[in-house]
Amino acid sequence: MVWPEFGRYGRVWSPWREMERLQQDMNRLLSRESTPYSTTFPAVNIWASDQDVIVTAEVPGVDPENLDITVAENVLKLTGSRKPEELKPGEVSHRQERVSGEFTRTFRLPYAVDSGKVDASCEKGILEVRLPRAEADKPKKITIKSQN
Amino acid sequence: MAEKEMQKREASSPVETERTKNMKFFIPRVDICETKDAIVLLADMPGVDEKSVDITLEKNVLTLSGRVEPETHEGYRSAYVEYEAGDYERAFTLSDEIDRDRIEASVKNGVLRLTLPKAEPVKLRKINVKSA
C-alpha cells in the first residue's frame, strides 16, 4: 500500500487522515468533560453599570505593545499575540502548558460606547479597559409637562 | 453561556495542607525547559507581582504561590464571566542537582520566570580520551 502515504504531505485527500482528524476531534470533545480547562486565550470578564463597561482580560506574558483594542459601537475586539518561548539548540522542553501565538476575541457589549473615551491599562498581566457609554445611548428621563 | 468553561484549572484538592482562607486557588500553567546549565520555569500568574509571589524550596519540593487581590468593581454588575480571581499554588519535585543559592526569580506582566541553575558537580563533563 503506497497511496495513504501521500496524505501525510497534505496534497492528496486521504481517508486515513480524515479518520485521524475525527478521532482527534472526538478525543478533544470527550476530554473536555473531565477537565473543564479550555485553551481560549485570553479569558475575559465584563462588568457593567449604567454609565460604563469594564472589560478585564488575563493576558499574562503579553507585551501591551502587542495588544490591539478596537471598538465600534458596541463591539469590542481584542487582538494580540504572545511570543512563544523559543528553544535554543541544546535546550529541551519538559512541559509546555502555556499557549502562545496570535489571538482575536470579539465581544458584544451591553450598549454602544463612546470610542473616543476608552481607557485601557495593563498591569500584572491583567488588561483593564474602561468604556464609557455613548451619550446618545444613555437613557433619557422625559419630563412630563403638566397642562395646568 | 451555559456551557462556558472556566479558563483556569481549579485545583481539585489542596496541596497536602488546607488553606486558612476560604478562597479558590488555581494551578498556574507552566512551561519548563532545560538548558545546558539551568532549568527555566515560566508560570502564568496574572494578577501577581514580585511582592505577592512566594517561592519556597524545602528539601526538593519547590512550591510556587501567588496571592491575587480579588477583582471588585464597586457599583458594577458582572455581565460576563470567563475567569475568577484566586490565588495560585503549584509544587514541583526537583532533583538534587539544583544550586539552591543561585536560584533567580522575576515577575513580568504576570509571568513568573524562575531560573534554577544546575549544581556544578553534576554538570556534564566531557572526558577527553587520549590516545595511548
Side-chain angles (χ1 to χ4, degrees):
Chain A
M1 286 244 291
V2 181
W3 58 272
E5 288 298 312
F6 285 105
R8 201 180 281 173
Y9 305 102
R11 275 180 291 190
V12 174
W13 180 82
S14 150
W16 306 117
R17 207 161 48 134
E18 285 297 307
M19 289 290 278
E20 235 167 62
R21 220 177 58 197
L22 190 69
Q23 193 183 11
Q24 278 169 8
D25 286 350
M26 285 307 285
N27 285 346
R28 208 168 53 228
L29 275 173
L30 292 172
S31 65
R32 229 179 246 180
E33 292 293 313
S34 53
T35 51
Y37 182 42
S38 110
T39 50
T40 311
F41 186 87
V44 166
N45 279 356
I46 300 177
W47 306 78
S49 77
D50 290 339
Q51 302 300 318
D52 51 5
V53 183
I54 297 175
V55 176
T56 57
E58 288 192 320
V59 287
V62 177
D63 192 335
E65 281 179 12
N66 293 338
L67 204 56
D68 278 323
I69 305 160
T70 51
V71 188
E73 294 222 335
N74 66 340
V75 176
L76 170 79
K77 196 170 161 191
L78 279 181
T79 47
S81 66
R82 185 158 91 152
K83 285 190 194 111
E85 286 293 317
E86 277 168 24
L87 290 178
K88 292 177 197 79
E91 294 184 358
V92 191
S93 174
H94 289 208
R95 261 173 205 267
Q96 189 145 30
E97 298 168 354
R98 300 165 68 237
V99 287
S100 61
E102 294 185 359
F103 56 83
T104 304
R105 300 215 62 195
T106 313
F107 299 92
R108 190 178 297 272
L109 303 171
Y111 37 72
V113 294
D114 187 345
S115 55
K117 290 186 189 157
V118 176
D119 184 39
S121 64
C122 198
E123 226 175 85
K124 301 185 207 172
I126 294 180
L127 171 76
E128 186 173 313
V129 190
R130 194 177 285 263
L131 310 111
R133 190 169 190 171
E135 279 304 320
D137 198 71
K138 279 187 185 164
K140 289 220 168 54
K141 196 176 175 183
I142 292 142
T143 43
I144 304 167
K145 287 176 201 153
S146 66
Q147 294 292 323
N148 331 345
Chain B
M1 187 80 183
E3 285 178 26
K4 88 185 148 59
E5 298 159 24
M6 284 296 154
Q7 304 293 311
K8 280 190 276 188
R9 185 161 51 141
E10 197 187 337
S12 52
S13 66
V15 186
E16 289 177 357
T17 49
E18 273 196 73
R19 296 160 59 86
T20 52
K21 267 199 280 181
N22 183 19
M23 200 177 157
K24 279 190 179 171
F25 73 102
F26 299 94
I27 302 170
R29 292 191 194 197
V30 299
D31 281 356
I32 301 175
C33 80
E34 187 177 344
T35 65
K36 197 155 57 71
D37 30 41
I39 288 171
V40 179
L41 184 149
L42 294 169
D44 278 351
M45 295 168 126
V48 165
D49 61 12
E50 62 282 356
K51 287 180 220 90
S52 57
V53 68
D54 275 323
I55 302 152
T56 52
L57 182 60
E58 202 185 333
K59 286 182 185 156
N60 59 350
V61 178
L62 174 82
T63 310
L64 318 174
S65 60
R67 291 178 308 280
V68 175
E69 292 296 316
E71 197 180 357
T72 48
H73 297 282
E74 208 59 46
Y76 289 83
R77 67 194 150 77
S78 176
Y80 179 63
V81 184
E82 279 185 348
Y83 72 90
E84 284 174 88
D87 293 353
Y88 296 98
E89 199 156 297
R90 191 155 182 184
F92 295 96
T93 311
L94 301 175
S95 57
D96 288 331
E97 57 187 61
I98 300 301
D99 185 346
R100 285 149 191 262
D101 301 326
R102 293 195 296 132
I103 294 176
E104 281 173 37
S106 62
V107 182
K108 194 190 171 198
N109 289 339
V111 177
L112 169 73
R113 184 184 199 100
L114 204 57
T115 311
L116 308 150
K118 292 182 192 168
E120 287 297 328
V122 195
K123 269 190 194 167
L124 277 182
R125 242 179 322 179
K126 198 171 178 185
I127 294 148
N128 291 320
V129 182
K130 285 176 196 156
S131 60

